[in-house]
Amino acid sequence: MSAVEGGAFAALRGQLSGAAAEFADGPGALEGILLGIVDDVDRAVREPLEIFPVCHHSPASAVAMARRLREKQPKVVYLELCEDLAPLLTELRNCRLPVAVQAFATEVEGFPAEWAPLSVVAPITEASAEYQAIAYALDTPGVELVLVDRSADHVFQWEERENPAPDPDAPPAEEEAALHGDAIGVEIGDLRPRFAELEEHLLRHGRVRHWSEWWHQYVELPLGDSDHDTYRQVMLLIGSLFRRLAPGDPHRVRVDEDRERYMWTRMRAHLAATGTDPADCLYLCGAFHAASRVAEFGVEGTDGFVISPPSASSWQYGLIPSSHAAIEAQFGLAAGSVSIAATEWAKNVKRTRVPPFQLDGQAGGGKRKKPAALPSPVPAIATADQLSGFLRRPAVLDEVDQAELLGWSVEIVRAARRNGYLASTADAISVYETSILLAGMRDRAKPTPYDFQDAAVTCIEKDVVPGRRDVRRIVEIMMGGDRIGQVGYDALPPLARDVHDRLAPLNLKLHQRGVQRALLDIASQPELARCSDVLWMLRYLMPHGTARPIMGQRSLGEDPIQESWDLALGTHQRALIELGYEGVSLEQVLEQRLRRNAHDPQATAAKVLEAVEDATLYLRGHRLAGELGTRALEVLATERSVDGAPDVLRRVRRLLSYYRTSQPALPSWIESFVKTGYAHYCTLLPTAFTDEDAGVDQVAAMLGFLFSMETLALSLGCDRTQLELAIAQSHPQDPAKVALLWAAQVQLGTLSRTELRSRCDDLLANPLVLPAYPRYLSGFVHALEPAPGLADFVVEAISNAFARLPDPLLLPWLPTLITTLRARGSEQVPMLIREAGRIFPGRLTALDEWVPPWQVQPEPVPVRRSASGQGSTLLAAHPAACDAVASLLGCTDPWAATGSAPAGAELISRHPATAVTLAGVLAAL
C-alpha cells in the first residue's frame, strides 16, 4: 500500500518538510529522506497483518512484546527465525537461558568442502522479544508459532551465491564467542546503522563511546515504559532511518530484500493454507525488515519469488549453551551490555508491572507465581500519530536514583576489596560523586551503568597489577556478569545422555560448570573400568581440559589399577552436544574419526599407524585395527619420503610387542607391513644417505627398522642381500651420516670394531678433519637406534672427544649433544649411563689412577715350552680329551693302552706343538 498523503501523519509531514526547507535551503534529498521515513512508518502501521518491530536482546522490546501479546492475544505468531529450527523450541523448557538454537552439518554436499562443518546459531535470552513470543505461543492453547526466515541450508546457499570463496583477510572470531565457535549467527532484529558516518555522528554528539551505550541512553530508557503505538512507531522510524541511510551496496540490499520476500512468501502460503484472518496474526521481525517496502500487500509484492530446494547436506539440530559474552561478540556489542540489558529488563518488569511470559518448567527462572489467565483482548483502535510528540519531547532529566547509585557504589568497593584493591569508604563516595559529575558533563541527570563504570575505573583502579581482575570487569560482574546458559538432560542428544549415564557411577554433578575431581579405584571397583574407557575416549574426542588425567595412563597391554581425573563436562557442554551430531555413541564417533584420519589424502604411514594404535587402545577391538593396518600398508608402499620413519619405527615396535604378548599369532597385516617396510626402506636407504632433506634421525630410524625387524622379515621371506646391497650402495658425505654408515657396517659384520676404532683415531689425528669430529659423534649417538650393541664404543668415542678435543671445538658441540640425548633420552640415555657405569670407576678417589680399558694393551700370555714327552705324558694321563680331539679331526681309533700304537700317541708324535701349546694354556689357568 503506498503512503497516503495526509492521514495520521499529515502534521508530521508538514513539520519535516518545513525543517528540511530551513536546514537544506529548499526541498531536496533531505526532504525526500525525511518524508520517505514517514511513508515507511505509515505503510507499516497500515498493514493488515500487524508488524511488530524489535531489536534483539532489547529489554524495551521484550516488555513491549509481553504487553502487546496480552492485549492482542494473536492466534498465529510469525517469527523471524530459521524455519527448520521450529521443533527445537519446545526443548527450551529443559534449559537455563541463555542458550542458542543450532543447526549443524558435518556431511556437506552442494557447498565447498572447506566450509565444513556448517553451523548456524540463534541465541535466546529471557530479556528478548523472541523468547516472550515463543513462551506465549507454546504455553497458550490454540496459538500457532510459525518460523518464516530462511532455513539453515538456505543461509549457506545464499552465502555461496553471494560469496563463492571465503575471505582470507576476514578477522578471526572473537575469543569471547567461544561458545558459538565459528557458527554463523542469525541476527534477529539487528539494529545498527550501516552508515559509518552516521554512527560516528551519533556517538560523538551523544557523548558515548559505543553503539550499545547510545542505544541504552536514547532508545532503551525512553521506550522502557512507553505505550504500544509509541514504541512501534519509534522502532519503525529507527529501522527506516538506518535503511535509507545505509550505503548503496547492491549486494546487501538484494540479500535484505530477498530475505523479506522469503518471509512474506512463507506467511502468505500459511495464510492461504489455514484461512487465518491476518488481523489475528502478529509478525515479529527486526525493525530494519519491518520498514521494508517488500510486504504482504506492499508495493513490490512477493509474486514470482522462487525458493530454491534444500541441498543434499545432512543437518543436525540441537541446543547449545550460550553466554552474554558470546552474544556480545556475535552482534558487535560492548562488553557487559547484555548483562546490563538483563538488569534493565528486571527493572522494566518491576516498574511497568507487565507480567512476562515464561515457558512452563523453565529452568533457572526461580520460583514464580503461576501467571493469571489472559484478560480479554483489547479491541483495535485507529492508529494515532505518536511520533510528533515523541520527537518534540525534550530529554527527561530524571532525578538521581540515589538508592540504586549508592548500592552500586558500596557494592563495587566490596567487590574491589575481594579482588585485591585497597578500596575504602572514601572510594565509594568518590565513585558516587564522579558518576553524577560524568552524567552532568554528558547531559544526563541520571548516571547510566556506563557512567558508573567509568567513574569506578577512575577512582579505584589506581594501579594495574598483573593477574588481578580489572575494575571494568568487576563492574560487569556486579551488573550481572557473563551469565552462561545450560542445556538440560532431556534436551541433550542421545550421545550426550549416554555419556552422562555411563559416568553416573562417579557420583559427580556433570552438568555443573567448573572442574571436578574424579577418583577411580578400579582394583577394588572393577565396574569403574567402563567409566575409565569413557573418560579416555572423551579425552581423545573433546577439547583440551574437558577430561584431563591426573594419575594413570593408558598404554597397550596394560590394565588400569587407579586413576584420577579432572572433569569439566559442564564447561564444555557445547562441544559434547556437537559431538552428538556425529553419532549416537562415543565408539561410533571415534571409529568415524579414525577412519577419516586414515583415509585422508594427506595421511602418512605414521598417521595411519597412530590411528591403528588408537583403535586398539580405546576400542579394544581387532576388526578396525586390521582394516586401518591394511590402509597403513597401502600408504607406506606409496611413500617416497622418509620423514615419518622415526614415528613408524616407534609405533611398529609398540604394536609388535603388544601383539606378541597378547595374541597367539601376529595379525596378517603387521606381518605384511614388516615385509613391505623391509623392502621399502632398503630401496630408499641409498638415496636417504645422500639426500640433504633426509635428516640423521630419519636415516637412523630406517636402519633401526631394518635391523630390529630383520629376523621377522627374513622369516617372512625377505632376502638379507637387499640390506647388504643397500649398505654397499650408500655413499654419504655428511659426517653424521658417515658415522651411521660405519655403525651399520659393524652391525652387518662387514666392518670390525678394530677397524672402526682405527678410523676414529685417524679422524682425531687429522687436524683438517678435527672440526667436523663432533658431527661424527652425533652420528654415533644416533647409531644407538639401529645398533644398541655399540653403546660401549659410543661411550669410548665421547670420552676420547672430551679428552682430546680443544675447548673451541668441544663447547659449541655440547648443546647439540644435550638436545640429541634429551630428544632420545627415554631409549638411549639409560643405555649410555649403564655402559658408563660399567666402565668408569665407582669412586672419585679411584679416578686419578684409572686408565680407560680401551687404552690398556693386553700383555702376552707366557707360554711354557715343554718337551714333546711332557706333552705326551699329560695327554696320556687324560685319554678322553685326546679321543675327543681325534674324533673331531677324523681319527676314529680310540686311545688304547695295549695293542698297536694308539691313534692318540701317533697324533701327538706328528703334532707335538699342539701338546706344548695346550700345556702352556693349562699352566696359565
Side-chain angles (χ1 to χ4, degrees), residues 329-453:
Q330 176 180 330
F331 285 85
L333 304 177
S337 58
V338 178
S339 299
I340 293 174
T343 304
E344 192 68 24
W345 153 257
K347 292 169 57 178
N348 287 350
V349 170
K350 184 178 181 180
R351 183 177 64 253
T352 60
R353 297 184 179 181
V354 176
F357 292 94
Q358 186 180 27
L359 286 171
D360 187 22
Q362 177 75 57
K367 295 183 179 180
R368 296 189 180 182
K369 297 180 180 180
K370 186 177 181 180
L374 294 176
S376 301
V378 177
I381 59 176
T383 302
D385 178 14
Q386 302 293 338
L387 280 178
S388 299
F390 183 85
L391 295 177
R392 288 196 305 265
R393 186 189 311 158
V396 179
L397 300 180
D398 298 330
E399 295 183 357
V400 178
D401 188 348
Q402 294 184 352
E404 182 183 53
L405 187 57
L406 282 174
W408 287 353
S409 302
V410 173
E411 183 61 30
I412 188 59
V413 169
R414 182 183 295 114
R417 287 174 178 172
R418 287 197 300 264
N419 286 272
Y421 288 91
L422 300 177
S424 63
T425 305
D427 292 312
I429 298 174
S430 63
V431 170
Y432 176 86
E433 296 295 342
T434 306
S435 300
I436 298 176
L437 177 63
L438 288 176
M441 295 173 62
R442 297 167 180 174
D443 293 336
R444 308 168 191 166
K446 177 181 178 180
T448 66
Y450 300 95
D451 298 327
F452 175 78
Q453 189 177 57

Side-chain angles (χ1 to χ4, degrees), residues 607-733:
K607 289 294 183 183
V608 182
L609 283 177
E610 181 182 3
V612 175
E613 189 172 353
D614 291 336
T616 307
L617 202 59
Y618 299 117
L619 298 180
R620 299 183 182 275
H622 304 299
R623 173 189 56 82
L624 181 61
E627 177 185 335
L628 299 180
T630 304
R631 171 64 180 168
L633 177 62
E634 298 172 357
V635 174
L636 179 67
T638 59
E639 281 188 346
R640 294 296 176 264
S641 172
V642 296
D643 293 339
D647 202 6
V648 169
L649 175 61
R650 287 193 296 269
R651 297 190 183 280
V652 169
R653 280 177 174 173
R654 281 200 297 264
L655 289 169
L656 272 174
S657 176
Y658 168 71
Y659 287 131
R660 282 170 173 165
T661 56
S662 63
Q663 295 187 18
L666 292 177
S668 58
W669 75 264
I670 200 168
E671 292 182 347
S672 301
F673 189 90
V674 171
K675 184 177 179 180
T676 303
Y678 189 86
H680 179 72
Y681 285 137
C682 282
T683 304
L684 297 180
L685 188 60
T687 305
F689 264 116
T690 57
D691 189 2
E692 294 181 357
D693 294 333
V696 183
D697 282 337
Q698 285 75 28
V699 178
M702 293 173 65
L703 292 172
F705 185 96
L706 293 172
F707 286 119
S708 61
M709 307 291 169
E710 184 178 17
T711 304
L712 178 59
L714 295 180
S715 66
L716 296 174
C718 294
D719 191 354
R720 197 169 193 262
T721 308
Q722 291 179 286
L723 179 57
E724 294 175 351
L725 291 176
I727 296 295
Q729 294 172 357
S730 301
H731 305 286
Q733 299 295 325

Side-chain angles (χ1 to χ4, degrees), residues 102-109 111 113 115-120 152-153 156 311-317 578 581-582:
Q102 181 183 43
F104 192 87
T106 54
E107 299 178 3
V108 177
E109 296 185 21
F111 302 108
W115 287 15
L118 306 180
S119 181
V120 174
D153 195 271
F156 285 97
S311 70
S313 299
S314 178
W315 288 91
Q316 304 287 337
Y317 301 92
E578 291 189 349
Y581 298 156
E582 301 182 41

Side-chain angles (χ1 to χ4, degrees), residues 761-775:
D761 292 338
D762 293 341
L763 292 176
L764 286 173
N766 189 344
L768 297 179
V769 185
L770 202 60
Y773 187 74
R775 300 173 62 187

Side-chain angles (χ1 to χ4, degrees), residues 137-175:
L138 294 183
D139 282 351
T140 305
V143 177
E144 184 178 5
L145 178 66
V146 182
L147 307 187
V148 294
D149 201 1
R150 303 167 296 169
S151 66
D153 195 271
H154 285 93
V155 170
F156 285 97
Q157 283 188 32
W158 291 16
E159 183 75 14
E160 183 183 19
R161 181 187 67 186
E162 303 297 337
N163 300 304
D167 184 8
D169 299 326
E174 295 289 342
E175 182 180 355

